[in-house]
Amino acid sequence: MERLDKLLASQGMESRREVKKWLADGRVTVNGVPEKHPERKVSPEDVITVDGRTLTVSPHLTLMLHKPAGFVSAARDARDRTVLELVPPEYRRKELFPAGRLDKDTTGLMILTDDGALAHDILAPKKHVPKRYRVTIDLKMEERMAAGFAEGIELSDGKTKPAALLITGEHTGIVTLREGRYHQIKRMFGCFGAKVTALCRLSMGALELDPALGPGECRPLTEEELLLLKTRE
């Protein structure tokens, strides 16, 4: 059994505050009867409609998080604050975990989910889900860097797969990777004597970070966005 307002919010429909307005306006029914009480307990057997449309409850929850700097990509950590501490109460589930990692000082798009199959689908090396990052370095961006990225760069753990570097400014660029090694972008630029001073993940697959999400904010993915997440370019 779960609170009605929490259930509706967890399905990515609206915020819990907005859901309460729907209930007050009589837009929600439970088993054919208008329901205005957000604390109403509902079960999987209950038929819930919003504006006359029956709600299909997803067994899993997948969130888009705009990760800020200073948080580690873990479910729990003895020393640092974790990305799960950013999740508001209505989205907290026991099984929620970060699907993939971003360094503590890296910002941008992160996926939190309780769906192990989905996490495997987007993280397995053979899946080759492209990930795009905005990067700033302390040296001038040069075409030789872009050429090196395209060729693949020899690191201590082997040569990287070909990557794309689009130079967008004197010190900035957009990097697209199809693998996810430890500190990979930082190590690749390090081969040119450059230090990464800022790094932000912009997209995973065809899914882009929602510009309406501020740092530290998250929301459930829509069905369309889940499909975009699995799209290979």
Side-chain angles (χ1 to χ4, degrees):
M1 302 288 282
E2 190 171 11
R3 281 179 59 117
L4 180 57
D5 60 342
K6 183 178 180 180
L7 175 66
L8 292 173
S10 75
Q11 299 304 301
M13 305 186 71
E14 279 291 352
S15 68
R16 203 161 171 179
R17 179 179 297 178
E18 188 65 26
V19 164
K20 289 180 178 179
K21 292 181 181 177
W22 290 359
L23 291 163
D25 293 340
R27 297 170 59 186
V28 180
T29 70
V30 178
N31 301 325
V33 180
E35 180 57 68
K36 295 193 174 186
H37 297 90
E39 69 277 8
R40 162 76 182 269
K41 297 290 186 177
V42 291
S43 70
E45 291 74 33
D46 289 316
V47 178
I48 303 167
T49 69
V50 179
D51 293 333
R53 295 170 54 185
T54 301
L55 175 67
T56 301
V57 178
S58 171
H60 295 293
L61 175 64
T62 300
L63 303 174
M64 174 191 294
L65 169 70
H66 185 164
K67 179 188 175 298
F71 290 79
V72 296
S73 304
R76 57 187 64 84
D77 190 277
R79 294 180 303 174
D80 295 306
R81 299 184 67 186
T82 74
V83 290
L84 291 189
E85 295 179 45
L86 297 167
V87 178
E90 60 263 36
Y91 300 143
R92 289 179 186 170
R93 292 188 179 183
K94 182 179 179 181
E95 302 84 3
L96 206 62
F97 64 94
R101 300 181 63 84
L102 287 178
D103 297 338
K104 183 178 177 180
D105 57 349
T106 299
T107 64
L109 175 62
M110 170 161 277
I111 300 299
L112 308 177
T113 187
D114 58 3
D115 187 345
L118 172 67
H120 179 268
D121 187 65
I122 61 178
L123 297 176
K126 292 183 179 180
K127 299 295 184 177
H128 303 305
V129 175
K131 300 176 181 67
R132 193 163 52 94
Y133 301 80
R134 182 176 59 246
V135 60
T136 304
I137 61 174
D138 63 346
L139 299 182
K140 182 179 179 180
M141 285 279 184
E142 299 179 357
E143 288 299 334
R144 68 187 181 98
M145 297 176 180
F149 274 56
E151 175 68 22
I153 294 177
E154 194 68 47
L155 301 178
S156 60
D157 53 353
K159 190 174 183 178
T160 67
K161 294 182 183 296
L165 167 58
L166 174 65
I167 297 175
T168 58
E170 186 173 5
H171 298 281
T172 60
I174 302 295
V175 173
T176 302
L177 298 181
R178 293 182 179 271
E179 58 182 339
R181 304 191 194 187
Y182 179 71
H183 290 328
Q184 183 171 344
I185 293 178
K186 295 177 180 178
R187 293 163 63 202
M188 291 173 77
F189 277 107
C191 291
F192 297 96
K195 179 182 178 181
V196 172
T197 58
L199 188 61
C200 176
R201 184 154 65 194
L202 303 174
S203 66
M204 297 175 67
L207 177 67
E208 297 188 354
L209 177 64
D210 184 349
L213 279 182
E217 295 180 342
C218 68
R219 64 164 176 79
L221 293 186
T222 64
E223 288 297 323
E224 292 78 9
E225 288 173 329
L226 282 170
L227 292 175
L228 290 175
L229 182 60
K230 300 175 184 179
T231 299
R232 278 59 169 165
E233 296 176 348

